[in-house]
Amino acid sequence: MSYGSSLDDAHRLEGVYVGRVLKGEKPADPVQQAVKIELVLNLRTAKALGLTIPLPLSGRADEVIE
């Protein structure tokens, strides 16, 4: 199970940040934080570890790896 920022969103924000710095902003200015947080469940690994993932949690996950 992983709960954190979206990698796609993080890479997009990196590009925006680099563009701001290249346009003359100071790198020390506030950095943008990730907006989208994702929950990813790996059911195959959970099964190998003998864990049972509750159905409501699986339903809320952004991505489920079977």
Side-chain angles (χ1 to χ4, degrees):
M1 178 168 42
S2 170
Y3 185 69
S5 62
S6 164
L7 290 178
D8 293 334
D9 192 42
H11 290 303
R12 184 187 62 78
L13 288 175
E14 289 170 8
V16 171
Y17 181 68
V18 169
R20 287 176 31 203
V21 171
L22 290 175
K23 289 180 183 176
E25 285 190 36
K26 295 179 184 177
D29 287 346
V31 178
Q32 295 176 328
Q33 292 183 337
V35 176
K36 183 176 179 189
I37 306 295
E38 289 184 330
L39 174 62
V40 179
L41 298 174
N42 189 328
L43 297 181
R44 186 182 319 161
T45 302
K47 184 178 178 182
L49 294 172
L51 302 173
T52 303
I53 304 295
L55 226 71
L57 186 60
S58 296
R60 290 184 176 181
D62 296 298
E63 182 180 349
V64 177
I65 301 167
E66 297 187 38

